[in-house]
Amino acid sequence: MNRKLLFVDLDGTLMSDDGTVSLRNREAIHQMVKEGHYIAFATGRPVESARAFAKELKLTQTGCYIVAFNGAIFYDCAADRILFRRSMPVEVVLELFERAQKAGIYVHTYNKMDVLAVRHTKELDSYLKRTNLTYKLAHNIMDILEEEPPKVLLIDLKGKERLVRFQKDNAAWAKGKTNNFFASDEYLEYCPDQTGKEIGVKYLTDILSLPFESTIAVGDEQNDIRLIEEACMGVAVKNAVPAVKEAADFVTESDNNHDAIAEVIERFVL
């Protein structure tokens, strides 16, 4: 049997705009896993958020993995354990907080279970609603930071303009310290240097003893581009941003609200 390894982004790809997963998508994923194929949810979300999502979909059996925090953490759903972890130096995190606050941009980071922020804002509320995570607040982030975190997230609900300016203004400082990219127009993510969803391709094919030709990756946003390029078959959903479609080998006929992942599974896996 030629087993496949399917990397699937969550928000805007597997999930509909209302945050749900269609019955057809669920059934297609369960069928591929039942037949011995592998699935890896490749997301910018924290492990706890993605883990809860996998449990809700009843995808905690052998063959199910999570690439969380844009590749900073790999998690085995069946074994319920972290396989791989990268983190950001505390001094880099503190500098990012200082620079973001100076620019008037909301910023937060993470510990094992919580979102960590310095103040309660509408940006925090929006993020918590999307991820169902808990949070802690402290005027000095060092008071609640338990270990080096896997990511720092800047949010601007008004759009991309200020975040683009921030990324550009801080590019020289960030070079060699972080990998930074947009997960959406509202989210600018700073991850450990040389980290991205794409490193999951080599890591998981190695531990699963699968050939490169078995890999398929599906996404919709800028933080999916490298993953799509790295996989043997890169797929953009119909609603993907133009740059993702340009990077992909195939663009689905359906969008994330109309069973795009089921289309991919039926066409390339089953």
Side-chain angles (χ1 to χ4, degrees), residues 1-8 14 24-41 57 59 61-65 208 210 214-218 260-270:
M1 175 185 176
N2 293 322
R3 288 184 171 86
K4 300 292 186 181
L5 170 56
L6 178 64
F7 293 87
V8 180
L14 173 59
R24 185 180 165 202
N25 279 343
R26 290 171 184 248
E27 290 177 341
I29 293 171
H30 278 278
Q31 186 61 35
M32 67 169 281
V33 173
K34 182 179 178 181
E35 292 189 12
H37 301 286
Y38 302 92
I39 188 160
F41 298 119
L57 263 59
L59 289 166
Q61 63 268 53
T62 300
C64 301
Y65 297 88
L208 296 171
L210 292 172
S214 70
T215 58
I216 306 165
V218 195
I261 295 306
E263 178 187 336
V264 173
I265 293 171
E266 291 161 7
R267 183 183 292 265
F268 298 113
V269 181
L270 300 178

Side-chain angles (χ1 to χ4, degrees), residues 142-194:
M142 279 298 294
D143 292 341
I144 49 177
L145 189 63
E146 298 170 357
E147 60 184 359
E148 291 185 341
K151 187 175 82 170
V152 172
L153 178 63
L154 280 65
I155 303 176
D156 189 343
L157 299 178
K158 295 179 180 179
K160 202 172 183 177
E161 185 177 341
R162 281 201 308 165
L163 294 175
V164 169
R165 186 164 59 249
F166 180 91
Q167 185 185 42
K168 182 178 179 181
D169 290 346
N170 293 281
W173 168 81
K175 187 176 181 180
K177 297 184 181 74
T178 73
N179 186 18
N180 51 89
F181 39 73
F182 281 87
S184 70
D185 285 352
E186 300 171 344
Y187 290 2
L188 175 58
E189 313 213 355
Y190 283 80
C191 295
D193 191 33
Q194 299 182 0

Side-chain angles (χ1 to χ4, degrees), residues 35-200:
E35 292 189 12
H37 301 286
Y38 302 92
I39 188 160
F41 298 119
T43 179
R45 290 183 177 224
V47 173
E48 283 305 311
S49 178
R51 181 171 173 261
F53 176 83
K55 283 187 173 182
E56 193 274 324
L57 263 59
K58 295 181 170 57
L59 289 166
T60 56
Q61 63 268 53
T62 300
C64 301
Y65 297 88
I66 294 169
V67 179
F69 286 117
N70 286 305
I73 292 180
F74 296 165
Y75 172 82
D76 183 332
C77 296
D80 190 22
R81 67 186 178 96
I82 290 173
L83 302 175
F84 171 96
R85 189 182 195 277
R86 281 182 176 168
S87 58
M88 297 178 66
V90 171
E91 61 269 21
V92 174
V93 174
L94 296 178
E95 183 71 19
L96 268 171
F97 266 74
E98 182 177 336
R99 288 170 181 255
Q101 290 172 302
K102 189 175 293 185
I105 298 174
Y106 169 85
V107 58
H108 74 231
T109 189
Y110 307 82
N111 64 18
K112 291 179 180 177
M113 302 295 292
D114 306 298
V115 176
L116 308 179
V118 297
R119 53 196 173 91
H120 198 138
T121 68
K122 62 182 182 297
E123 289 85 2
L124 176 59
D125 284 336
S126 173
Y127 185 81
L128 296 175
K129 182 178 179 181
R130 186 174 187 177
T131 59
N132 294 315
L133 291 170
T134 54
Y135 71 97
K136 291 181 179 178
L137 297 177
H139 180 69
N140 184 347
I141 203 69
M142 279 298 294
D143 292 341
I144 49 177
L145 189 63
E146 298 170 357
E147 60 184 359
E148 291 185 341
K151 187 175 82 170
V152 172
L153 178 63
L154 280 65
I155 303 176
D156 189 343
L157 299 178
K158 295 179 180 179
K160 202 172 183 177
E161 185 177 341
R162 281 201 308 165
L163 294 175
V164 169
R165 186 164 59 249
F166 180 91
Q167 185 185 42
K168 182 178 179 181
D169 290 346
N170 293 281
W173 168 81
K175 187 176 181 180
K177 297 184 181 74
T178 73
N179 186 18
N180 51 89
F181 39 73
F182 281 87
S184 70
D185 285 352
E186 300 171 344
Y187 290 2
L188 175 58
E189 313 213 355
Y190 283 80
C191 295
D193 191 33
Q194 299 182 0
T195 293
K197 293 182 182 182
E198 68 278 2
I199 67 175

Side-chain angles (χ1 to χ4, degrees), residues 250-269:
F250 179 82
V251 179
T252 61
E253 296 177 4
S254 305
D255 63 18
N256 66 309
N257 293 313
H258 298 89
D259 311 313
I261 295 306
E263 178 187 336
V264 173
I265 293 171
E266 291 161 7
R267 183 183 292 265
F268 298 113
V269 181

